[in-house]
Amino acid sequence: MQHDASPDPAERLERLVRALIAMAAVLASAALWWPATASAARIKEIASVQGVRSNPLVGYGIVVGLDGTGDQTTSTPFTAQSIAAMLQQMGVTVPAGASMQLKNVAAVMVTAQLPPFAQPGQTLDVNVSSLGNAKSLRGGTLIATPLKGADGQIYALAQGNLIVGGAGASAAGSKVQINHLAAGRVPQGATVERAVPTPLNQGEHIQLDLAASDYGTARDVARAINARMGEGLAQALDGRTVRVRMPASPDARVAFLADIENLSVERAAPAARVVINARTGSVVVNQAVTLSPCAVAHGNLSVTISSTPMVSQPNPLAGGETVVRDKADITINQQPGSLIQMPAGTQLVDVVKALNSLGATPQDLLAILQAIKAAGALNAELEVI
């Protein structure tokens, strides 16, 4: 006689519940031991093609149509000379020695950025800044101004109405002004006249320049390109440059760059660095900064000088004069500073807590961080800007 060894439904349900609980416990604990996903960035975000860049353009121009807020020609003679030269080109002769009292004209510098691959006929935004003593450029019009590159060649021609993001008024010696009135912008105010050649279609190779020097990032960029496009195409030359062999035809090169610029590369951990701005007192610490155990004593020293007027009155028969003198009292007050032990910090939050425990102002932190660095307890590079 055989008996059925299979468990009853209640026992099977109990076993299933126990298995689900065990699986949930394993999944919950996985966050503690499973490696965290490293942050990744696309190649286009950390590298650029050498030679494919914008070029600065600059030109000298004249803004007309101002409401009496232009240059004072008596103190800016170059404005009157520019107007005379412009009128002469238009067939108007200004008598020699004639006094030109112009109030609606201002000499300006015009700047723009010529982007890569810009072709003749395309438009650019230009910035216009006063060169003389004009009070405001609001409502003015920029006369045709050639924009030149570093080689002295003309690459664009600018002209148009200015947009000035400000306003001002003055009367009876009072003046109110909002924002800056001596600079403006002309959207799409320049037309490209000449293109700048790029090395994209020249030679067999191109060079990728990393935004920051890091050997690990250069190696990872080369590996990512070789794994995606084929072995031997990319080679890391140093910690900042990667050389890539390109296809022959221009169309194939554009498609090749479109593919590799979207490849993901893991970001390397930044070097530990503390940046200090000595002028503003700003202190910036990145996440890689750590502290070794040390002790810091911090106290404040203040010097107070007070002056009290004293009257020196002579005797009635002495024949002297009454003299007022100042009596100065100088007091030095040194607040006690306790010796605080700063434990080793392996995370940024630990470093922040340790520095906050000192109760120091940002200006005091400048000296404290330099002293900690000199003592060898600050595991970071200290940079003062």
Side-chain angles (χ1 to χ4, degrees):
M1 182 176 177
Q2 296 181 353
H3 297 278
D4 188 4
S6 60
D8 56 3
E11 186 177 355
R12 290 200 302 267
L13 179 60
E14 183 179 358
R15 291 180 180 178
L16 179 60
V17 172
R18 290 178 180 176
L20 291 177
I21 294 176
M23 183 178 298
V26 172
L27 293 177
S29 62
L32 301 177
W33 54 267
W34 192 265
T37 303
S39 61
R42 294 176 297 180
I43 291 181
K44 66 165 60 175
E45 298 167 352
I46 60 177
S48 60
V49 180
Q50 186 183 51
V52 180
R53 61 178 181 86
S54 61
N55 292 273
L57 304 178
V58 64
Y60 172 81
I62 296 293
V63 171
V64 299
L66 301 177
D67 189 14
T69 59
D71 292 339
Q72 299 179 6
T73 54
T74 55
S75 56
T76 55
F78 51 85
T79 303
Q81 295 175 6
S82 302
I83 292 297
M86 182 184 67
L87 294 177
Q88 187 174 4
Q89 292 180 358
M90 296 180 177
V92 179
T93 302
V94 179
S99 177
M100 301 179 63
Q101 299 296 331
L102 305 174
K103 296 183 179 180
N104 300 333
V105 180
V108 295
M109 294 300 296
V110 185
T111 58
Q113 289 289 333
L114 182 65
F117 311 119
Q119 299 298 318
Q122 297 180 350
T123 56
L124 308 173
D125 296 342
V126 297
N127 297 317
V128 181
S129 304
S130 174
L131 189 61
N133 53 8
K135 297 179 180 179
S136 173
L137 298 181
R138 189 177 181 87
T141 301
L142 176 67
I143 302 300
T145 303
L147 302 181
K148 300 180 180 180
D151 56 357
Q153 302 294 327
I154 297 177
Y155 288 91
L157 190 65
Q159 180 172 287
N161 298 324
L162 272 72
I163 295 179
V164 179
S170 60
S174 300
K175 180 180 179 181
V176 176
Q177 179 174 322
I178 301 176
N179 295 334
H180 193 59
L181 303 178
R185 189 175 180 88
V186 183
Q188 298 182 354
T191 304
V192 179
E193 301 293 338
R194 177 182 300 180
V196 177
T198 60
L200 184 62
N201 296 323
Q202 301 174 3
E204 183 183 1
H205 298 83
I206 65 167
Q207 182 172 303
L208 297 179
D209 296 334
L210 301 183
S213 179
D214 185 81
Y215 292 102
T217 303
R219 178 198 60 188
D220 294 340
V221 169
R223 286 181 177 178
I225 295 175
N226 290 332
R228 176 66 172 84
M229 310 304 296
E231 289 295 332
L233 293 181
Q235 179 184 8
L237 301 181
D238 50 41
R240 205 179 186 103
T241 57
V242 178
R243 186 175 61 183
V244 183
R245 188 168 71 249
M246 298 290 290
S249 65
D251 182 68
R253 292 194 171 200
V254 173
F256 184 88
L257 286 175
D259 291 336
I260 69 173
E261 71 177 2
N262 289 311
L263 296 178
S264 296
V265 178
E266 291 187 0
R267 289 182 181 270
R273 180 172 298 178
V274 177
V275 180
I276 297 175
N277 192 325
R279 294 182 296 273
T280 63
S282 303
V283 179
V284 179
V285 183
N286 67 2
Q287 61 181 1
V289 175
T290 59
L291 284 179
S292 298
C294 62
V296 178
H298 174 67
N300 291 326
L301 179 67
S302 61
V303 179
T304 304
I305 301 177
S306 60
S307 179
T308 304
M310 303 291 293
V311 179
S312 177
Q313 181 70 31
N315 294 327
L317 302 177
E321 297 180 356
T322 302
V323 178
V324 179
R325 298 179 181 273
D326 292 334
K327 180 181 179 182
D329 296 328
I330 302 177
T331 304
I332 299 179
N333 182 21
Q334 184 174 8
Q335 298 180 1
S338 58
L339 187 64
I340 300 177
Q341 180 180 359
M342 303 180 66
T346 58
Q347 295 181 355
L348 178 60
V349 63
D350 299 330
V351 178
V352 173
K353 289 180 180 179
L355 294 177
N356 286 337
S357 64
L358 295 174
T361 64
Q363 290 292 343
D364 295 331
L365 286 178
L366 301 181
I368 293 174
L369 288 174
Q370 293 180 39
I372 296 177
K373 176 64 176 179
L378 181 63
N379 304 321
E381 178 185 353
L382 198 61
E383 180 179 353
V384 180
I385 61 175

